[in-house]
């Protein structure tokens, strides 16, 4: 029985290590007093070194369980120069249709890693900008503590295409 437990533990460790992603960046933005206003645009900046790397982009959202809404509307701006950015409007769902919070929650707060894009690549190396603007019905949205932009390197388009 001990041999079985030892083998099972080693297999689990190997699988965990093989499946882990390499963070290219993890950039956190705290919201003062857990209030997100229209003028508080969350600005993230990161560098891309290789245009062949494939990324998963996620938002890591920390919010309170007394958050009054099911979702948050945002404008997302992306680009390499602040005067020439692409705008996308999204609804970030923090609960399902039954009102059950998404993510890992305790009595007071939840942490939800929301996938934005999977296996994308950047066409140019260098500095990239990613801005998130609160675009809900209320100017002062209460209950969101922080939002982090997470970029995980998940592969390489040159290597992945050869297989």
């Amino acid at each position: 029985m001990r041999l079985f437990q030892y083998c099972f533990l080693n297999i689990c460790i190997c699988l965990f290590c093989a499946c882990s992603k390499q963070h290219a960046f993890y950039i956190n933005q705290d919201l003062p007093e857990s209030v997100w206003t229209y003028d508080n645009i969350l600005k993230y900046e990161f560098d891309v070194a290789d245009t062949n790397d494939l990324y998963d982009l996620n938002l890591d959202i920390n919010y309170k369980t007394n958050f009054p809404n099911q979702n948050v509307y945002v404008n997302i701006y992306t680009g390499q120069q602040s005067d020439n950015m692409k705008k996308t409007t999204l609804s970030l769902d923090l609960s399902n249709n039954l009102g059950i919070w998404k993510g890992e929650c305790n009595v007071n707060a939840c942490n939800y890693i929301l996938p934005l894009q999977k296996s994308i690549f950047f066409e140019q190396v260098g500095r990239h900008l990613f801005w998130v603007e609160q675009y809900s019905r209320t100017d002062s949205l209460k209950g969101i503590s922080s939002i982090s932009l997470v970029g995980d390197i998940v592969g390489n388009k040159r290597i992945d295409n050869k297989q």
Side-chain angles (χ1 to χ4, degrees):
M1 186 66 177
R2 266 188 192 276
L3 180 60
F4 174 77
Q5 289 173 334
Y6 176 77
C7 290
F8 181 75
L9 178 64
N10 281 333
I11 290 170
C12 288
I13 290 172
C14 289
L15 286 174
F16 177 77
C17 291
C19 295
S20 65
K21 296 177 182 178
Q22 175 188 352
H23 286 315
F25 49 86
Y26 188 102
I27 309 161
N28 185 57
Q29 294 280 346
D30 290 324
L31 294 163
E33 299 179 25
S34 298
V35 177
W36 193 8
T37 61
Y38 287 151
D39 357 337
N40 188 1
I41 298 174
L42 305 178
K43 296 182 178 182
Y44 307 89
E45 193 174 302
F46 57 92
D47 290 315
V48 171
D50 188 344
T51 57
N52 288 304
D53 285 338
L54 298 173
Y55 292 83
D56 282 354
L57 289 182
N58 303 292
L59 287 180
D60 186 350
I61 304 171
N62 289 295
Y63 62 97
K64 298 186 181 213
T65 53
N66 64 357
F67 185 70
N69 305 330
Q70 176 184 351
N71 61 348
V72 178
Y73 286 97
V74 297
N75 289 322
I76 293 183
Y77 301 88
T78 56
Q80 285 192 282
Q81 298 174 356
S82 60
D83 59 351
N84 187 23
M85 296 179 75
K86 179 184 172 196
K87 176 184 172 183
T88 307
T89 302
L90 295 176
S91 171
L92 308 179
D93 291 329
L94 300 181
S95 72
N96 65 18
N97 292 337
L98 299 174
I100 299 171
W101 295 120
K102 293 184 177 183
E104 293 184 24
C105 300
N106 61 33
V107 174
N108 299 317
C110 296
N111 177 251
Y112 177 46
I113 299 176
L114 187 139
L116 289 176
Q117 293 185 300
K118 296 252 182 223
S119 297
I120 65 162
F121 63 91
F122 294 92
E123 293 179 357
Q124 295 181 342
V125 297
R127 179 182 79 138
H128 287 262
L129 305 173
F130 187 97
W131 297 355
V132 183
E133 174 184 43
Q134 194 263 105
Y135 187 62
S136 296
R137 292 183 188 112
T138 349
D139 170 74
S140 298
L141 195 57
K142 297 179 182 177
I144 298 180
S145 306
S146 68
I147 299 179
S148 302
L149 176 66
V150 183
D152 292 325
I153 296 176
V154 294
N156 187 289
K157 68 180 181 180
R158 188 175 9 172
I159 294 170
D160 292 347
N161 286 336
K162 290 181 182 180
Q163 295 176 358

